[in-house]
Amino acid sequence: QAFFCLLLCIPWGSSCPPSCQCTERAGAKAVLCSSRHLEEIPKDIPRDVVFLKLDANSITRIPSNAFRHLSHLEEIDLSRNAIEKIDRAAFKGVAAGLRSLDLSSNRIRSIPKEALLALNAKLRLANNPWHCECALQEVLWEARLDPDSVQDITCHTAPREEYVGKPLLQVLDAGVNFCSVRQRTMDVAMFVTMFGWFAMVIVYVICYVRHNREDACKHGDYLRSLPSAQAHAE
């Protein structure tokens, strides 16, 4: 009976992932999973964790609701992984309390702006093979980026070759606006679509008029033939 009582008294959130080390920093729980060859985010992270280190692993993706049950989480270090994909709702549930998020030195080319713009955390996004586009530009303008790492957000690929290899901030300071380029592309596509529909309507009207004209001519020929047919009968 005492054994079962002891089990009930142990909080479920106090367990520690087998590949990690759980400790305390300034009275707050820290889970240290650095360099543990992890390929995904552990499922059994204690609910009361405040500091979470997952750096130097082989994690490739941050799925939706990956940290939702960690309501006390303030700092996440995901640097030096192999992250390529971040879902839109990856940080849902921790956006309000998160103070620091390190995604530097991964394989991130693009990221849904919804995943980061809801955060109040200071972001580190340096040393990723970024594709410079509108979403990344909006993150740079609106998110709380670590000022020490902004210059290391470099265009690995871009719509124009002259931007490749340059810091995104430098490209934007030169007057480039990737969002306006996308808008112009959408405007051109809209114009082409509207022109196509207009051309189809014109062709339809021409065919309709021509068909009616031919029917009218045939009907006129028929009417003109009636008197001659009657006279021949008499």
Side-chain angles (χ1 to χ4, degrees):
Q1 184 177 1
F3 174 75
F4 286 109
C5 181
L6 179 61
L7 288 179
L8 291 173
C9 292
I10 297 176
W12 289 104
S14 64
S15 62
C16 189
S19 57
C20 304
Q21 177 186 359
C22 295
T23 183
E24 287 194 5
R25 292 166 49 186
K29 179 162 288 186
V31 177
L32 312 179
C33 308
S34 306
S35 304
R36 299 302 175 100
H37 307 290
L38 299 175
E39 296 183 356
E40 61 181 18
I41 298 170
K43 306 294 185 185
D44 49 356
I45 298 173
R47 293 179 177 272
D48 53 350
V49 62
V50 176
F51 306 104
L52 177 59
K53 286 185 65 66
L54 293 164
D55 55 303
N57 282 292
S58 301
I59 298 171
T60 59
R61 179 191 174 199
I62 307 177
S64 297
N65 302 310
F67 310 99
R68 188 172 186 174
H69 63 292
L70 309 177
S71 58
H72 300 281
L73 199 56
E74 295 183 5
E75 295 185 15
I76 307 176
D77 186 355
L78 283 158
S79 63
R80 296 183 295 151
N81 272 280
I83 298 171
E84 296 181 353
K85 179 175 177 56
I86 299 176
D87 291 357
R88 294 178 184 273
F91 303 103
K92 187 175 181 179
V94 297
L98 204 61
R99 295 190 291 108
S100 175
L101 173 61
D102 193 343
L103 294 169
S104 59
S105 301
N106 277 282
R107 300 176 185 174
I108 308 170
R109 297 188 69 253
S110 63
I111 188 169
K113 63 180 182 180
E114 296 86 356
L116 298 183
L117 294 184
L119 298 175
N120 294 319
K122 183 179 291 186
L123 302 174
R124 296 182 64 88
L125 304 176
N127 301 318
N128 280 286
W130 291 107
H131 173 65
C132 288
E133 57 180 349
C134 182
L136 182 59
Q137 174 180 313
E138 290 178 340
V139 168
L140 189 65
W141 280 349
E142 299 182 36
R144 292 185 58 228
L145 297 178
D146 186 339
D148 295 333
S149 66
V150 173
Q151 289 296 336
D152 293 323
I153 301 176
T154 304
C155 297
H156 184 73
T157 56
R160 296 177 61 175
E161 188 67 26
E162 61 190 276
Y163 307 144
V164 175
K166 294 183 178 179
L168 177 58
L169 188 61
Q170 178 182 333
V171 174
L172 297 179
D173 284 344
V176 177
N177 189 335
F178 294 106
C179 295
S180 65
V181 170
R182 185 180 69 175
Q183 184 61 45
R184 285 198 300 270
T185 303
M186 292 176 62
D187 290 344
V188 170
M190 183 72 72
F191 174 78
V192 171
T193 302
M194 292 179 64
F195 179 79
W197 279 106
F198 181 74
M200 289 177 61
V201 171
I202 294 297
V203 170
Y204 174 79
V205 170
I206 292 174
C207 292
Y208 179 79
V209 170
R210 182 176 296 176
H211 179 73
N212 284 353
R213 183 179 296 175
E214 291 176 354
D215 286 348
C217 291
K218 290 179 180 178
H219 187 66
D221 292 341
Y222 172 73
L223 292 178
R224 284 192 297 271
S225 68
L226 288 178
S228 59
Q230 293 175 355
H232 181 72
E234 292 174 357

